[in-house]
Amino acid sequence: MSAARVMMSTTTTTIGGGASSSLLFKAAAASPFFKPRSVSLCFNNNTKLVFKKRGFACSALYRPHVQIKEEGQPETLEYRVFFVDNSGKKVSPWHDIPLHVGDGAFNFIVEIPKESSAKMEVATDEIFTPIKQDTKKGKLRYYPYNINWNYGLLPQTWEDPSFANPEVDGAFGDNDPVDVVEIGESRGNVGQLMKVKPLGCLAMIDEGELDWKVIAISLDDPRASLVHDVDDVEKHFPGTLTAIRDWFRDYKIPDGKPANNFGLGNKAANKDYALKVITETNESWAKLVKRSTPAGELSLV
C-alpha cells in the first residue's frame, strides 16, 4: 500500500458530561465513520495510566485525552481505527477502556453507526485490537440492509467459548466481547465512546454460539431518564424490542443462511438479567487477560 493512500487523523475532542460536551458533539459533522473522541481510562493514585494490571471493576474517575487515529482509507481492507494515549502509544479499546464509569453506567464503543451497513468490528486477533471492517473470502462485509441502531461492544467483557450456558440451551460463548444495541436518537460514529445504561438483553444463538445483545441507551439521549428497564422501552420506544429481535433473527437470510434463534423464551430479558450477563462476561474477560483461560488467537495487548 503506497504512502499516498494512507490517511491518519489524530485530533481529539472532550467527552465529559454537561452542556459543553453536548455542543461539541452537535457541532461535529455527520460521517459514516468515526469522529475522534477522548476516552476514560483507569488511573492509579499517582494518576498514571494503568494498562498492565487491569482491574475488571475499575471506575473511570479521570478523563484524560486519548486520541483515535485512522490508518488507511475507509472501506478498504487496510482501514483501521486505533486508540492511542497521550504519548502516542497505541492502546486496546477492548482491554484498556474500563467497563464501568460509575453510577450504574458503562462505557460503550460504537463499531457500526445506526443507519449504516459496513460490518465494522474490533479485531480481537490483531495487536491493540483496532476497529476494522470484517471480511469474508478476502472481501469487505456489509449487512444486506442498514442497522437501525448504534451497535458496538462493551469493553472488558468476553463471551467464553468454553462455557456452556445452562440457561440458554447449553450454548457456548462466541469468543467476542458483549454486543450492545444502543437505541437513542443520535447517530454515533465509528470509534465513538458513549456512556450508556443497560435496559435488557437478548440471548441470540448464532450457529450454535451464544451472542448476547445488550439493549442500552446513551445517557445523553433526551429520553434516557424515562427508560430504566425493558417495560419502559416498550412504553417509550414502542416496537423497538421486537424490531431488534427480528433484525438480528433475519439479517443472514438474504445470504441464504437460516434465521438465528433466541433463548430465554425468545424475549428480551430485563435489566437485572442484563447486569448479570455483564458481570459474568466481565469476570470471564478478567480470567482471559490473567491467562487463567487460554486465549487462543486472541490478542491480549
Side-chain angles (χ1 to χ4, degrees):
M1 180 176 171
S2 67
R5 289 190 59 203
V6 176
M7 176 182 69
M8 294 187 180
S9 173
T10 58
T11 57
T12 59
T13 55
T14 302
I15 184 175
S20 60
S21 64
S22 297
L23 290 174
L24 284 171
F25 279 125
K26 292 177 181 177
S31 165
F33 298 97
F34 87 104
K35 292 293 180 187
R37 298 290 186 267
S38 70
V39 296
S40 304
L41 300 175
C42 294
F43 278 67
N44 61 19
N45 292 332
N46 296 319
T47 66
K48 295 180 180 179
L49 283 170
V50 178
F51 291 128
K52 292 184 179 180
K53 296 181 179 180
R54 301 185 178 101
F56 60 85
C58 88
S59 296
L61 302 179
Y62 298 89
R63 297 187 177 281
H65 289 280
V66 174
Q67 298 175 336
I68 291 177
K69 183 173 70 173
E70 290 178 294
E71 296 187 4
Q73 295 284 351
E75 297 189 83
T76 67
L77 294 174
E78 297 83 10
Y79 182 65
R80 299 291 186 276
V81 177
F82 285 97
F83 288 67
V84 300
D85 66 16
N86 289 335
S87 68
K89 177 185 175 182
K90 291 176 178 176
V91 297
S92 167
W94 180 19
H95 301 308
D96 293 319
I97 293 177
L99 172 62
H100 298 271
V101 295
D103 296 328
F106 298 86
N107 276 321
F108 158 59
I109 301 168
V110 178
E111 295 169 303
I112 305 173
K114 67 187 298 184
E115 306 307 333
S116 66
S117 64
K119 194 175 186 302
M120 308 298 295
E121 61 179 28
V122 164
T124 57
D125 59 347
E126 295 185 12
I127 189 169
F128 300 119
T129 64
I131 297 175
K132 69 172 186 177
Q133 189 167 349
D134 191 24
T135 60
K136 184 176 183 179
K137 297 181 179 179
K139 294 184 179 180
L140 297 172
R141 291 187 66 187
Y142 294 84
Y143 289 121
Y145 31 74
N146 287 349
I147 189 167
N148 306 125
W149 313 273
N150 294 311
Y151 185 59
L153 74 142
L154 289 175
Q156 298 186 344
T157 62
W158 181 57
E159 297 171 4
D160 186 350
S162 70
F163 174 67
N165 193 310
E167 298 177 8
V168 190
D169 304 327
F172 291 87
D174 73 346
N175 203 32
D176 282 325
V178 170
D179 296 325
V180 172
V181 183
E182 193 278 318
I183 64 173
E185 67 179 30
S186 296
R187 184 175 187 270
N189 301 284
V190 176
Q192 181 176 341
L193 190 69
M194 293 184 182
K195 289 192 296 184
V196 300
K197 61 178 178 180
L199 305 170
C201 64
L202 285 163
M204 190 178 91
I205 302 174
D206 182 357
E207 298 181 11
E209 295 179 337
L210 179 56
D211 186 1
W212 290 107
K213 308 297 180 189
V214 170
I215 300 159
I217 190 167
S218 168
L219 296 185
D220 291 328
D221 190 82
R223 289 185 282 178
S225 63
L226 302 177
V227 287
H228 307 285
D229 214 319
V230 287
D231 292 338
D232 299 323
V233 176
E234 194 58 40
K235 179 179 179 181
H236 296 284
F237 296 79
T240 295
L241 296 173
T242 299
I244 292 172
R245 184 197 62 201
D246 291 353
W247 196 97
F248 283 99
R249 181 192 64 197
D250 298 339
Y251 79 90
K252 290 186 175 182
I253 293 176
D255 293 331
K257 294 184 177 181
N260 289 318
N261 299 314
F262 291 87
L264 305 180
N266 205 39
K267 296 180 180 179
N270 63 18
K271 178 178 181 174
D272 285 344
Y273 200 98
L275 292 174
K276 172 177 175 285
V277 168
I278 293 170
T279 298
E280 290 175 349
T281 55
N282 183 213
E283 292 170 350
S284 294
W285 169 84
K287 293 176 183 178
L288 177 70
V289 296
K290 290 175 183 176
R291 274 73 169 178
S292 60
T293 300
E297 297 182 356
L298 298 174
S299 173
L300 301 184
V301 177

